[in-house]
Amino acid sequence: MSDAVALNLVLFLPLLGAALLGVSPAGRDDLVRRLTLAVMVVQLLLTAWLYARFDSTVAGLQFETRVPWIEGWGVSYQIGLDGYNILLVMLTAFLGPLVTAGAFSAIHKDVKLFYAMVFLIQFAMMGTFLAQDLFLFYVFWETMLIPMFLLIGIWGGERRIYATIKFVLYTAFGSILMLAAVIYLVYSLQTTSGVISFAFADLVQARLPLEVQSWLLAAFALSFAIKVPMVPLHTWLPDAHVEAPTAGSVILAGVLLKMGTYGFMKLGFPLFPDATQLFTPWLMTLAVVSIVYGACLALVQDDIKKIIAYSSISHLGYVMLGLLSLELAGIQGAVIQMVSHGLVAAGLFLMVGMIYERCHTRELAAYGGLARLLPVYSVFFMILTLASVGLPTTSGFTGEFLVLLGAFKAAWPPYRLGTDGLPLALAVVAVSGVVLGALYMLRFALSFLFGATKAPHQPLADLNGREKTILGLIVVAVFALGLFPDEPMRKTELAAKAYRQLVNTPRLPRALP
Amino acid sequence: MIARDMLLAMLPEHLLLLGIVLLVGLQIAGRWQRAALLVALLSVAAAALAALRLSVSGYAAAPFAEQFSVDPATLLAKAMVIALALPVLLMSHGQFEDDPAHPHRAEGEFAILLLSSLYGVCLMQSADSFLTLFLGLEMMSLPVYVLVLLAYRRPQSAEAALKYLVLGGAATAMLLMGASLLYGSTGSLSIATFAAALGSADPMARAAVVLVILSFFLKGAIVPFHAWAPDAYEGASVPVTAFMAVVVKAAVLLAVVRLFGQASVGSPMLELLAVLPLVSIVWGNLAAMRQPGLRRMIAYSSIAHAGYLFLALLGSAAGRLQAVAFYVLAYGLLNLLAFAALPEAAEDRERDRLDALKGLFHRAPFAALMIGIAMLSLAGIPPFPGFIAKFLIFKNVMAAGHTTYAVLGLVGSYLGIYFYLRVIQFMFMSPDASGASAATTRRLALGASLACLAAAAWVAVFPGWVIARL
């Protein structure tokens, strides 16, 4: 089997799985669960195999497939792995089986439809990361909405309808403006250079006036910033997280939010470098505001899902800061931070789901002293909490440290012409986010695991084998990324350099001779 | 040769006429009425195939000079619109069983009227003069007024049909007035005079153009000429609503594209052709949010879709037909899919209430999935064909330099997402409130929805293949 075929298989396996579920006999929920898990594991193994074969010394696409799709429009079905997406593809494939297994005991209503939706969203997420053609990217990007809409709306909590409609309307608004920008971008490329193409590689050649770049970047940025989400466009996230079933939260926090930052890195900034220079102070400020504001809000929540939801806003602020620093360390740190947050937030949401299945409440005040009641659970929870805080040896440390390093490097010397010391001030404020992060996560863990013993239902059963396996895998990944970050960083290094190069090179139209 | 051309060029029309004659015969004989549907299906399918076959072979002819001509593009459009009537016929089976003594009589009546209307549709697509165009438009519309009445078990039907008739008459009057003004200034009835008058500064020509455009706005249900649509759609029975929303709309829009010919739209008609469709998009989508009935909702949604379609006229002449034809195809297939999948209910009004869809996924999962797919496609969410259709239209409008209108149209289309999602929310997320027993979709309607689904899937996966042929 050639590598390109394997990559296509990675993309289409979930769709195949959904079709299999469609024809599977009715009323056999256990069969559905096992089938889903099996397909997800196969996808993970295939992805891991490709990950191992990925050559980190080659810049650009590997395992590429390119077939014309809508020929008259220059749209092609083009997918491939590169340094931008390899870690995120790996993360998506890694979380697939965990989400599936995590929902075994939680979902008893419309099981078949549920796993079909999990398959569909897995397909759409993979496609978004792998797509190398803007049209294809947009199709996958939007397709993601549908299964998520149903996941939250059917299996969610009490206010699920409100939350899911809000989620779709927020994201769709960004997307519709992005669509206008996509059409305009392709059309301008066609009029200026005569090439009609949606391929990323062709689109980065477009030379547009600053004004056009600014409008287009604004449209792209709105769409991506909603997905990240960046303050002040974040209000859909706490609602969606709180009302979503565990699997929905895990997918949302684990992968979906990274679509926004990945979009900025792969498309938004490299396509419009001159506008990016112009927007950088604003976007950086918003990123730091997200870090601090998210952390402050996480500090005062009494719903445990909301704490993690707001912490996500804070953690993704770091990713944005790293990407905007345009320092190699910052960019690579941003990528590591994406993966790290994907693992840690997914793990924490899974753990919240596990305790919710036992006690049926998400109120922080209802819990206390779980360390004595559920020792194994508490150990896992503590590890993930510390990883979220960014303790050295965990993945959270690698990401945050590199991002801050990049931010400070970019801000030095502090009084460069025209910067007013803003980058330095922002970097300093961003550091306070680390402290705040420790504060809210430790407050959470403290009242959750320690203190007076209370739990809504006693006695509680500690984690079973399935749950231990799920969390064990996540914890191993968290430590692996924390202790041995150089292997994944080597894989992304060339892409980070390419990104920096693209964003640093002005691309205004050539002056007339 | 001219006789051969008369036979060949009008072969789809002849086949439809043959069907009508046979159906009338059956109706007069009063026997074998069960066969009416079969005869109608065969004749429509044969007409569609004939048009397709002629189009593929590159046939072009003008058997009646300056009145009627065909070329491959026209024939393909004809084939497409005729084929869209097939699912309508399939879903009409068992819809009009009012008279127990003659269970299939109304079905025969329905088929005759539908085929007559299709004959008018075909004429419109080939019209070279305003005379033929007028003839086609009337032949298409008159049977539809009666079709709306066919659901006579409901009191609103008569009111709806009357409203439709009166407003349809107004549209006809405007078209005739416009055509006579054009005739007065140019001395010709050819539709080419319209395209020539588009950019003219002469007040009379301008008045003529505005009148003709407004008459098509009325037929296509563009705000503020849309008021008939919700009533007519609601008053009619499901197959008739489907026919109006899909076939009639498609025919009107394709005829408009033919009328515009190679002319590009400039000021001052640009504003008329941009603003009213944009208002339709916004108003249709907003009003649809508040509708308690499915058919009224679809009516407002079709007002919004008419807005997109008329907006397509702003695009360059070359891409116009392609964009409109593709849109009409995608929109038609998915609308028909939704209508065909609609489960049976004891009472027609019951069937129309959106509330009746609550919990449908648990009663009829297949129907719920079909309707869900249709709604998402109508909302223009990828990967469904509705998205590509919308993309094509806005791409052309933007390429013609009307960026602001395209962006406004896209933002307007965003408003529509909510009410389409609400249907899905009712079907999948609400508890079963209707108390209805497990709904059964009828077998022929099921076949119709499967056929539409297959065609829609083809369009979604191979849009390039379809576009290249339009």
Side-chain angles (χ1 to χ4, degrees):
Chain A
M1 183 166 51
S2 87
D3 299 334
V5 174
L7 192 63
N8 280 296
L9 210 53
V10 165
L11 175 58
F12 283 102
L13 259 180
L15 205 58
L16 199 74
L20 273 180
L21 291 190
V23 297
S24 68
R28 299 276 309 276
D29 288 351
D30 260 345
L31 181 73
V32 167
R33 292 190 179 105
R34 273 189 221 127
L35 193 65
T36 311
L37 187 61
V39 174
M40 290 288 192
V41 168
V42 173
Q43 190 197 27
L44 173 60
L45 293 178
L46 266 177
T47 314
W49 186 66
L50 287 173
Y51 181 85
R53 291 179 59 86
F54 183 84
D55 186 350
S56 50
T57 58
V58 174
L61 285 180
Q62 302 186 29
F63 319 139
E64 186 188 357
T65 307
R66 183 171 192 173
V67 189
W69 184 25
I70 309 178
E71 285 184 58
W73 302 359
V75 174
S76 51
Y77 166 77
Q78 188 187 7
I79 63 166
L81 276 181
D82 59 11
Y84 288 93
N85 62 18
I86 178 135
L87 291 189
L88 293 168
V89 166
M90 194 63 215
L91 173 72
T92 310
F94 180 72
L95 288 179
L98 303 186
V99 168
T100 307
F104 275 5
S105 55
I107 302 296
H108 298 287
K109 187 178 90 175
D110 300 333
V111 177
K112 206 191 264 191
L113 186 68
F114 177 83
Y115 283 111
M117 288 306 128
V118 172
F119 269 137
L120 284 188
I121 201 160
Q122 186 82 358
F123 169 63
M125 292 189 304
M126 269 301 178
T128 312
F129 287 134
L130 289 176
Q132 304 296 330
D133 179 284
L134 192 51
F135 190 87
L136 196 65
F137 173 86
Y138 188 83
V139 167
F140 280 123
W141 171 272
E142 280 286 273
T143 303
M144 223 154 40
L145 283 185
I146 304 158
M148 203 62 203
F149 172 67
L150 291 173
L151 276 179
I152 302 178
I154 302 181
W155 295 275
E158 255 169 52
R159 289 167 68 242
R160 60 183 196 275
I161 306 287
Y162 167 79
T164 194
I165 299 247
K166 188 172 177 181
F167 161 73
V168 173
L169 291 186
Y170 255 81
T171 15
F173 185 69
S175 316
I176 210 88
L177 290 179
M178 181 164 93
L179 178 61
V182 167
I183 301 175
Y184 194 91
L185 173 66
V186 171
Y187 171 67
S188 337
L189 180 75
Q190 191 192 357
T191 43
T192 52
S193 68
V195 180
I196 177 155
S197 166
F198 282 79
F200 293 161
D202 292 325
L203 289 173
V204 292
Q205 309 294 331
R207 294 172 170 275
L208 305 171
L210 187 59
E211 196 196 347
V212 174
Q213 279 196 25
S214 305
W215 279 108
L216 296 184
L217 177 61
F220 274 86
L222 183 70
S223 179
F224 295 149
I226 288 173
K227 203 76 133 208
V228 170
M230 288 175 86
V231 176
L233 302 167
H234 64 284
T235 61
W236 63 269
L237 180 78
D239 285 315
H241 264 320
V242 168
E243 298 306 326
T246 302
S249 295
V250 173
I251 294 171
L252 207 56
V255 187
L256 225 77
L257 302 188
K258 275 87 211 168
M259 302 264 156
T261 45
Y262 172 76
F264 273 120
M265 182 178 176
K266 178 89 190 183
L267 289 170
F269 299 148
L271 281 177
F272 316 110
D274 307 281
T276 304
Q277 300 283 352
L278 201 66
F279 284 21
T280 296
W282 300 98
L283 286 171
M284 257 191 171
T285 312
L286 278 184
V288 172
V289 168
S290 297
I291 293 175
V292 177
Y293 186 73
C296 288
L297 281 179
L299 201 51
V300 295
Q301 300 302 323
D302 24 326
D303 184 313
I304 49 184
K305 264 188 157 178
K306 270 197 178 160
I307 299 179
I308 311 172
Y310 281 111
S311 83
S312 297
I313 298 174
S314 181
H315 285 299
L316 286 164
Y318 285 108
V319 179
M320 288 306 294
L321 191 66
L323 288 180
L324 286 163
S325 74
L326 292 187
E327 287 292 332
L328 199 58
I331 300 162
Q332 292 210 281
V335 177
I336 298 287
Q337 173 77 353
M338 281 193 233
V339 180
S340 160
H341 175 261
L343 293 170
V344 174
L348 284 170
F349 273 120
L350 280 166
M351 297 210 72
V352 169
M354 288 167 191
I355 197 77
Y356 184 79
E357 275 171 44
R358 289 166 169 79
C359 302
H360 305 286
T361 176
R362 291 186 310 261
E363 211 183 322
L364 185 55
Y367 296 100
L370 288 186
R372 246 157 304 165
L373 297 172
L374 305 170
V376 183
Y377 179 91
S378 301
V379 170
F380 278 120
F381 193 87
M382 210 56 221
I383 294 174
L384 288 176
T385 301
L386 292 175
S388 174
V389 169
L391 194 78
T393 72
T394 64
S395 60
F397 173 74
T398 322
E400 276 179 18
F401 177 78
L402 286 173
V403 165
L404 289 173
L405 187 70
F408 273 103
K409 262 175 102 175
W412 208 262
Y415 287 99
R416 273 183 309 181
L417 202 63
T419 57
D420 300 334
L422 180 73
L424 187 66
L426 288 176
V428 171
V429 178
V431 175
S432 77
V434 179
V435 182
L436 283 171
L439 210 57
Y440 65 75
M441 278 319 283
L442 292 177
R443 161 187 171 265
F444 178 21
L446 194 66
S447 64
F448 196 54
L449 302 183
F450 306 105
T453 308
K454 56 181 169 177
H457 296 283
Q458 292 183 32
L460 289 174
D462 209 337
L463 299 183
N464 59 30
R466 175 179 57 90
E467 290 165 332
K468 275 183 209 158
T469 316
I470 295 172
L471 295 175
L473 285 171
I474 290 184
V475 165
V476 168
V478 163
F479 278 119
L481 201 56
L483 292 171
F484 312 104
D486 19 320
E487 169 61 18
M489 276 171 70
R490 253 203 307 282
K491 294 217 192 287
T492 60
E493 189 179 345
L494 285 177
K497 281 182 178 155
Y499 163 80
R500 190 180 56 177
Q501 170 75 16
L502 279 171
V503 182
N504 263 332
T505 320
R507 213 176 304 132
L508 292 173
R510 286 192 200 88
L512 291 172
Chain B
M1 272 334 267
I2 193 88
R4 182 175 166 271
D5 272 346
M6 274 181 196
L7 189 67
L8 261 187
M10 294 193 75
L11 192 57
E13 284 88 345
H14 294 325
L15 287 167
L16 287 173
L17 192 61
L18 182 70
I20 297 171
V21 171
L22 281 177
L23 284 168
V24 171
L26 282 178
Q27 206 71 4
I28 292 171
R31 291 157 68 184
W32 307 301
Q33 282 174 340
R34 205 174 269 278
L37 186 65
L38 189 66
V39 171
L41 276 173
L42 285 177
S43 115
V44 172
L49 281 177
L52 189 66
R53 177 75 184 73
L54 288 173
S55 164
V56 170
S57 64
Y59 179 78
F64 304 97
E66 290 176 22
Q67 296 290 343
F68 184 98
S69 69
V70 292
D71 54 54
T74 326
L75 282 164
L76 190 65
K78 242 184 235 185
M80 203 174 80
V81 184
I82 300 173
L84 283 175
L86 280 172
V88 177
L89 276 170
L90 282 174
M91 74 177 89
S92 77
H93 180 67
Q95 284 292 291
F96 305 100
E97 286 166 12
D98 259 8
D99 190 353
H102 307 279
H104 295 280
R105 191 160 75 189
E107 219 163 78
E109 291 166 4
F110 171 81
I112 295 173
L113 291 166
L114 187 123
L115 263 62
S116 317
S117 184
L118 270 183
Y119 193 95
V121 167
C122 290
L123 272 189
M124 280 168 77
Q125 307 313 319
S126 290
D128 275 342
S129 77
F130 275 101
L131 216 57
T132 321
L133 184 66
F134 170 71
L135 211 62
L137 198 64
E138 285 303 285
M139 282 189 70
M140 176 188 80
S141 307
L142 285 172
V144 179
Y145 304 138
V146 186
L147 279 173
V148 172
L149 258 180
L150 257 190
Y152 37 71
R153 51 185 149 173
R154 288 200 296 156
Q156 310 99 301
S157 289
E159 186 195 330
L162 188 66
K163 258 188 203 164
Y164 190 24
L165 175 69
V166 171
L167 284 167
T172 311
M174 282 200 281
L175 178 68
L176 284 179
M177 190 67 204
S180 34
L181 283 180
L182 279 175
Y183 182 65
S185 58
T186 62
S188 160
L189 271 174
S190 160
I191 57 168
T193 56
F194 176 83
L198 254 180
S200 158
D202 175 34
M204 191 148 95
R206 228 182 245 184
V209 168
V210 169
L211 279 170
V212 172
I213 289 178
L214 290 188
S215 81
F216 278 101
F217 275 2
L218 219 163
K219 280 282 170 203
I222 287 286
V223 174
F225 309 107
H226 66 287
W228 61 269
D231 290 333
Y233 281 37
E234 190 188 21
S237 56
V238 170
V240 177
T241 310
F243 184 73
M244 282 194 287
V246 174
V247 180
V248 173
K249 184 143 282 181
V252 168
L253 262 300
L254 288 168
V256 173
V257 172
R258 185 178 175 84
L259 196 57
F260 273 69
Q262 296 302 311
S264 63
V265 180
S267 200
M269 290 308 146
L270 176 65
E271 281 73 22
L272 179 70
L273 279 167
V275 173
L276 287 186
L278 280 175
V279 173
S280 292
I281 294 172
V282 172
W283 179 247
N285 282 334
L286 285 180
M289 290 180 196
R290 302 187 56 86
Q291 302 308 319
L294 181 73
R295 264 170 279 184
R296 276 191 96 83
M297 193 198 88
I298 292 287
Y300 279 105
S301 126
S302 89
I303 291 168
H305 284 281
Y308 307 127
L309 281 163
F310 274 101
L311 212 56
L313 292 174
L314 301 188
S316 67
R320 227 153 32 199
L321 177 65
Q322 198 181 55
V324 169
F326 190 87
Y327 199 98
V328 160
L329 180 66
Y331 168 79
L333 282 175
L334 273 300
N335 243 333
L336 289 173
L337 177 63
F339 279 121
L342 213 56
E344 190 72 89
E347 211 187 324
D348 194 59
R349 199 176 319 174
E350 181 70 23
R351 192 177 175 194
D352 191 44
R353 276 195 309 119
L354 270 180
D355 284 349
L357 289 178
K358 279 192 175 162
L360 184 68
F361 178 69
H362 292 111
R363 275 178 285 146
F366 179 74
L369 283 175
M370 292 302 104
I371 298 174
I373 289 174
M375 291 301 138
L376 289 170
S377 177
L378 291 177
I381 294 177
F384 301 104
F387 164 71
I388 296 164
K390 204 182 274 183
F391 187 92
L392 181 51
I393 284 188
F394 287 111
K395 178 173 97 67
N396 286 353
V397 173
M398 219 178 256
H402 308 298
T403 310
T404 320
Y405 293 136
V407 172
L408 287 175
L410 279 170
V411 173
S413 79
Y414 165 76
L415 296 173
I417 292 177
Y418 171 70
F419 70 86
Y420 292 117
L421 287 186
R422 200 173 60 139
V423 175
I424 297 182
Q425 174 205 323
F426 280 179
M427 291 190 301
F428 287 87
M429 301 173 195
S430 304
D432 194 344
S434 69
S437 55
T440 49
T441 315
R442 292 143 304 127
R443 253 190 312 167
L444 281 182
L446 183 73
S449 60
L450 281 178
C452 290
L453 182 70
W458 181 268
V459 174
V461 179
F462 303 105
W465 185 88
V466 178
I467 289 166
R469 273 152 192 78
L470 287 173

